[in-house]
Amino acid sequence: PLPTRNTYYTSFRFLDTVAWSPVNPNQLLFSNADIAVVADLKKQQLVLAIGVPNSKAAPVISGLSWSPNGRYIASSYTVLGDKKTYHLPDPHIYIWDTLALSKKVSSTSNNLDIQPPTMTFDQQGALRHNDTIVDVQWSPDGRYLATCSLDHKVLIWQVDAASH
């Protein structure tokens, strides 16, 4: 069973991202509307649920990827609907430290609590996205994130996850 979540999404069951852990061949990451879950296929159980709980500004995951060292997951969110019925997005990038968060999650519990991001950064200055970020990808060395957006821009962010 998926973790308890925003009742607005109880009818949604769609996966738009699926990715194997780069360091653990038994772990699979997948998104389902507003949350993402890490499953351990060998143990046949969900081991971590991540998301931005209770945020109307971040309702649906729009990009999701593992860092090359398998410790971090990066994502962004989008809003549902058309531009006439919602406010323009304020694109943020969210990062979860799976090592730190997995220490907080009980392996004996039947319910997974959705873990909030470990780090969040918004975009400042002139070089920024002005529309929904649709994909987030780590560089092979883990030092950078690339984001692409509906504003037709690709931006590179220095994050230095390789040193952690």
Side-chain angles (χ1 to χ4, degrees), residues 35-141:
I35 64 169
V37 178
V38 176
D40 186 314
L41 300 180
K42 187 173 184 179
K43 295 178 183 176
Q44 296 186 8
Q45 66 182 24
L46 302 178
V47 295
L48 185 64
I50 59 175
V52 180
N54 304 318
S55 174
K56 292 181 180 180
V60 179
I61 291 174
S62 64
L64 192 66
S65 68
W66 290 94
S67 64
N69 64 9
R71 180 169 178 174
Y72 301 99
I73 296 171
S75 179
S76 189
Y77 280 75
T78 188
V79 289
L80 294 173
D82 59 39
K83 290 185 181 178
K84 295 176 184 174
T85 59
Y86 73 82
H87 298 288
L88 285 175
D90 180 15
H92 282 72
I93 298 161
Y94 301 94
I95 300 176
W96 291 265
D97 182 338
T98 61
L99 181 63
L101 294 174
S102 64
K103 292 177 182 176
K104 295 171 63 175
V105 176
S106 170
S107 61
T108 59
S109 174
N110 288 338
N111 278 347
L112 280 179
D113 290 329
I114 299 168
Q115 300 299 313
T118 311
M119 297 167 265
T120 301
F121 61 94
D122 60 356
Q123 304 169 61
Q124 300 176 2
L127 197 57
R128 59 178 287 130
H129 288 299
N130 298 314
D131 208 337
T132 299
I133 295 172
V134 294
D135 201 8
V136 178
Q137 290 296 317
W138 293 87
S139 64
D141 64 3

Side-chain angles (χ1 to χ4, degrees), residues 18-30 39 41 65-67 70:
V18 62
W20 292 104
S21 165
V23 296
N24 184 338
N26 297 316
Q27 287 190 343
L28 186 65
L29 170 67
F30 59 91
L41 300 180
S65 68
W66 290 94
S67 64

